[in-house]
Amino acid sequence: MAPLGVRLSVEESHVVIDNGLLQVTLSNPDGIVTGLRYNNIDNLLEVLNAESNRGYWDIVWSAEGTARGGVFEVIKATTFKVIVETDEQVEVSFSRPWDPSLQGKLAPLNIDKRFILLRGCPGFYSYAIYEHLGSMDWPAFSLSETRIAFKLRKDLFHYMAVTDNRQRYMPLPDDRAPGRGQPLAYPEAVLLVNPVEPELKGQVDDKYQYSCENKDLKVHGWISTNPAVGFWQITASDEFRSGGPVKQNLSSHVGPTCLAMFLSGHYAGEELCPKFEQGEAWKKVFGPVFIYLNSVMDGNDPLTLWDDAKNQMSVEVERWPYSFPASEDFPSSDQRGNVSGRLLVKDSYIDKDLLPAKGGYVGLAPPGDAGSWQRECKDYQFWTNADESGYFSIKNIRVGNYNLYAWVPGFVGDYKYDVLFTITEGCDIDVKDLVYEPPRDGPTLWEIGIPDRSAAEFYVPDPNPNYINPILGNPADRFRQYGLWERYAELYPDSDLVYTIGESDYKKDWFFAQVTRKKDGKTYQGTTWQIKFKLDNVDQTGTYKLRVAIAEATLSELQIRMNDQTTSRPLFTTGLIGRANSIARHGIHGLYWLYNVDVPGKQVIQGDNTIYLTQSRSASPFQGIMYDYIRLEGPATH
């Protein structure tokens, strides 16, 4: 039988859209998703919650000059409008205009939330248009976070899947309550001491353990095993997310809660929270994202719903950009442009020939300095990976002005192509061969780690057996276990890490994070790591170069000294840097920093040398640095 056409019913307090497979109920005029009827289940959303706390768009914002933290606001619309109503598609709008009389009460944004249901589709789409008008009546403000949140029925949805490796039967929200859960070092982390399901006793629940990089955060959600139903959030494109492909965001967590994150300062800090000036004109479309529902026949394994959701994600990616959204602010494929080319790497100290930038990240983002894309959070970005030969193709780019940026695993630094790209409708630009020359002054004398913007290759200890999440047993996920920062002082109770070039192995001997050491009570001290190395010949008239790539920093200061730990003036200091908080949030990286330090030859000794790396800030256990890669280069030889 042909699927039923889409039907719209507008009532005084609710709007109902139904296509025979799925019925979506939204509050009128608020535009909150209050009900999802699917597979003979009256409502997949938590019926015990108030209607305003089931499926909603929200923001966290701050007026100019207010204290940090921001105001949490569930976006409640004031006007309902039908945009499209046919048998094939219904699109409805719930909008909330802003005017100066609302100053201080609501975020100064015009917000238009859209919901789309298509014929024969077991799911619905949602997107929103945010606008700050270019008028001096519109005040300055900052936007810390915006997302869609769904609260599912806790009596049904117990199994959560984020990746192939991270999926499990989850604790209940009740398990986090006093008496059942014991708060740990921060409120998000709870030790389960008396959970409803006794087998979960002694495990840690922490929503940050389920974070993902943007490039991997395309599908996640929940499974009900009886009846066998899946609820999935699918994001087919990262173009509207901030911070580039490796920016990390939350996914799903105990609730059962399923999120579509668009903007956040997680794993980056305030730099990824856009700030708008008074009268600054800005408009952005977030989404569409797809809420996909699936089921299996009785007797079949409900956990196969994850595989089906991944297949549907691939379908959605192929369909991007969607052709059906009715807003003129969401351009279709023929209204966009494409850029292609090849990226090569020139490092004559490694190879005299040009090297293909295989696996390199190549993207278009708003104009700025090299590397500025990772802190860009107002507009759109478009990324891809170069193939084995360095060829890349970036498709479906919105009309506008961009720079082309890149970074290549295996090489330090950031590439920027100095030509400004103006993307027009239907354009197809071939930039031919581009050559990235990574920072390099002389030959490599030694190196520690892999330049890939992550600390994952370093030594990640076993977690404290009292703080375990069992699904993180995969070695690749070990860094996500709770409390690893405490293991450093257990491994180095009296003195700090010493790494000897030629003897030590960074996979075993370089702790993944340079953290503070707990002294007594709630006091901490900074730490000083040493790198020991020998040089048989020294050019005391030349200049050596120490390249320090940092994968994460949280309220830290790295001071570098050469062969004299006692000197009050370091050879180099970063000053206070970073608010990524990745140590506490199991992130293994945050924002990337590259420092290129000149080391005068007269400070280098023939024979034994020691570099001292001091992280001097020590107010909390979460201040620290994750290194990406360190290299010492000799003076130039050609």
Side-chain angles (χ1 to χ4, degrees):
M1 293 176 61
L4 295 175
V6 189
R7 295 290 180 260
L8 171 67
S9 174
V10 180
E11 304 166 5
E12 183 176 350
S13 59
H14 292 90
V15 173
V16 181
I17 320 171
D18 194 329
N19 67 0
L21 297 174
L22 168 67
Q23 184 184 87
V24 183
T25 302
L26 302 122
S27 59
N28 185 10
D30 292 347
I32 307 293
V33 185
T34 64
L36 293 176
R37 180 183 175 89
Y38 174 75
N39 204 39
N40 296 319
I41 302 173
D42 283 343
N43 200 345
L44 301 183
L45 303 181
E46 183 52 85
V47 293
L48 300 178
N49 287 4
E51 285 197 346
S52 61
N53 188 28
R54 297 180 185 176
Y56 54 86
W57 286 75
D58 67 46
I59 54 176
V60 179
W61 65 281
S62 302
E64 183 183 37
T66 57
R68 290 184 65 232
V71 177
F72 173 79
E73 177 189 336
V74 172
I75 300 169
K76 295 184 177 180
T78 56
T79 302
F80 165 71
K81 185 178 180 181
V82 178
I83 304 298
V84 176
E85 184 180 5
T86 70
D87 282 351
E88 300 300 317
Q89 171 179 344
V90 166
E91 177 170 343
V92 291
S93 161
F94 296 87
S95 60
R96 190 210 77 184
W98 189 90
D99 67 61
S101 70
L102 298 169
Q103 185 159 340
K105 300 176 183 177
L106 299 176
L109 288 167
N110 288 333
I111 297 176
D112 183 359
K113 300 183 293 182
R114 302 287 185 96
F115 298 88
I116 301 171
L117 187 62
L118 305 177
R119 180 200 285 262
C121 180
F124 68 97
Y125 298 84
S126 187
Y127 67 107
I129 304 119
Y130 290 17
E131 184 176 25
H132 186 261
L133 291 187
S135 164
M136 297 308 287
D137 291 338
W138 285 60
F141 82 110
S142 62
L143 186 56
S144 301
E145 185 175 295
T146 190
R147 64 185 188 173
I148 309 175
F150 290 97
K151 309 292 183 65
L152 308 180
R153 281 175 58 169
K154 71 177 183 180
D155 63 329
L156 293 181
F157 291 96
H158 299 151
Y159 190 90
M160 188 182 81
V162 174
T163 67
D164 287 334
N165 292 331
R166 287 185 287 162
Q167 47 184 274
R168 61 170 294 187
Y169 288 98
M170 291 290 284
L172 292 167
D174 313 60
D175 295 332
R176 297 179 57 87
R180 292 195 180 277
Q182 173 187 321
L184 295 173
Y186 45 88
E188 292 86 353
V190 169
L191 180 65
L192 307 180
V193 294
N194 183 30
V196 174
E197 300 294 337
E199 64 268 22
L200 301 181
K201 184 177 179 179
Q203 297 184 16
V204 168
D205 177 62
D206 184 344
K207 67 181 182 181
Y208 293 115
Q209 292 178 324
Y210 304 108
S211 298
C212 290
E213 295 177 349
N214 282 342
K215 64 182 176 62
D216 301 321
L217 192 51
K218 295 194 182 306
V219 58
H220 62 90
W222 291 82
I223 294 172
S224 164
T225 55
N226 186 23
V229 168
F231 180 102
W232 309 101
Q233 193 278 113
I234 295 177
T235 303
S237 170
D238 295 330
E239 68 179 44
F240 42 80
R241 284 175 170 158
S242 58
V246 296
K247 164 71 169 70
Q248 296 165 97
N249 274 308
L250 298 176
S251 58
S252 288
H253 60 78
V254 161
T257 299
C258 188
L259 303 173
M261 298 294 302
F262 302 119
L263 274 176
S264 84
H266 292 140
Y267 305 96
E270 292 181 16
E271 290 180 276
L272 263 291
C273 301
K275 297 170 179 61
F276 301 93
E277 301 296 329
Q278 181 180 3
E280 179 180 347
W282 176 75
K283 182 187 279 191
K284 188 170 184 179
V285 177
F286 293 103
V289 298
F290 183 41
I291 303 307
Y292 176 60
L293 309 177
N294 58 2
S295 60
V296 295
M297 300 292 288
D298 290 345
N300 291 338
D301 183 1
L303 302 190
T304 60
L305 293 171
W306 165 248
D307 296 317
D308 177 71
K310 289 195 299 180
N311 290 336
Q312 187 63 39
M313 177 269 290
S314 298
V315 171
E316 300 299 317
V317 169
E318 286 298 313
R319 296 175 72 190
W320 188 270
Y322 299 130
S323 59
F324 47 81
S327 172
E328 62 183 15
D329 292 307
F330 184 79
S332 58
S333 183
D334 60 355
Q335 296 172 306
R336 298 171 177 236
N338 307 310
V339 172
S340 60
R342 181 169 65 158
L343 182 64
L344 304 167
V345 180
K346 181 180 180 181
D347 187 337
S348 57
Y349 284 97
I350 294 178
D351 197 311
K352 292 182 180 179
D353 296 327
L354 293 176
L355 301 170
K358 55 184 179 182
Y361 291 80
V362 186
L364 292 189
D369 297 329
S372 60
W373 54 268
Q374 71 167 343
R375 292 173 169 81
E376 195 283 317
C377 50
K378 287 185 179 179
D379 294 303
Y380 303 94
Q381 299 192 24
F382 304 86
W383 287 88
T384 192
N385 287 101
D387 67 14
E388 289 287 311
S389 301
Y391 288 99
F392 63 88
S393 177
I394 306 172
K395 298 180 179 179
N396 296 307
I397 307 159
R398 283 171 161 264
V399 167
N401 294 322
Y402 302 89
N403 278 135
L404 185 145
Y405 304 95
W407 63 276
V408 184
F411 299 91
V412 295
D414 277 282
Y415 173 74
K416 173 192 169 184
Y417 185 44
D418 284 330
V419 173
L420 183 70
F421 286 87
T422 298
I423 300 298
T424 57
E425 289 188 10
C427 74
D428 205 342
I429 301 171
D430 184 354
V431 296
K432 306 299 183 184
D433 287 353
L434 304 177
V435 179
Y436 172 45
E437 296 188 44
R440 167 75 76 173
D441 286 4
T444 299
L445 301 181
W446 52 258
E447 58 187 350
I448 301 172
I450 302 168
D452 60 359
R453 303 186 179 225
S454 165
E457 69 269 25
F458 297 124
Y459 177 68
V460 179
D462 291 330
N464 185 324
N466 296 323
Y467 302 127
I468 293 290
N469 186 328
I471 71 162
L472 304 177
N474 185 321
D477 286 324
R478 183 185 292 180
F479 69 85
R480 301 183 190 277
Q481 295 280 11
Y482 173 85
L484 297 181
W485 57 87
E486 297 176 344
R487 306 298 273 174
Y488 176 77
E490 296 170 12
L491 289 168
Y492 301 93
D494 303 314
S495 58
D496 284 322
L497 183 152
V498 177
Y499 189 93
T500 303
I501 300 298
E503 298 179 11
S504 301
D505 179 351
Y506 66 76
K507 296 178 182 177
K508 301 176 182 178
D509 303 316
W510 189 272
F511 199 77
F512 77 101
Q514 185 171 359
V515 294
T516 55
R517 175 185 285 104
K518 189 173 184 178
K519 295 170 63 179
D520 49 59
K522 294 186 177 180
T523 61
Y524 301 85
Q525 65 184 27
T527 53
T528 298
W529 291 8
Q530 299 178 39
I531 304 173
K532 294 184 175 293
F533 62 98
K534 287 185 178 181
L535 292 180
D536 294 332
N537 299 293
V538 173
D539 180 358
Q540 294 201 320
T541 63
T543 300
Y544 293 74
K545 184 76 77 172
L546 183 68
R547 302 200 190 274
V548 181
I550 293 175
E552 190 275 354
T554 298
L555 295 171
S556 300
E557 179 179 358
L558 175 61
Q559 300 174 354
I560 300 175
R561 292 173 172 84
M562 187 76 185
N563 287 323
D564 184 357
Q565 186 178 357
T566 63
T567 178
S568 59
R569 186 174 181 179
L571 174 67
F572 172 82
T573 178
T574 62
L576 182 64
I577 58 170
R579 289 184 177 271
N581 210 18
S582 298
I583 293 170
R585 291 173 173 169
H586 332 292
I588 212 63
H589 67 83
L591 293 178
Y592 174 79
W593 314 72
L594 176 63
Y595 295 100
N596 305 295
V597 182
D598 286 337
V599 182
K602 62 184 179 181
Q603 292 194 24
V604 183
I605 301 169
Q606 184 171 338
D608 294 331
N609 290 266
T610 304
I611 291 175
Y612 298 93
L613 304 173
T614 299
Q615 198 296 101
S616 60
R617 307 293 179 121
S618 57
S620 89
F622 305 127
Q623 287 174 276
I625 288 169
M626 294 183 189
Y627 296 93
D628 167 39
Y629 173 76
I630 303 175
R631 180 172 76 212
L632 182 67
E633 298 170 11
T637 58
H638 60 260

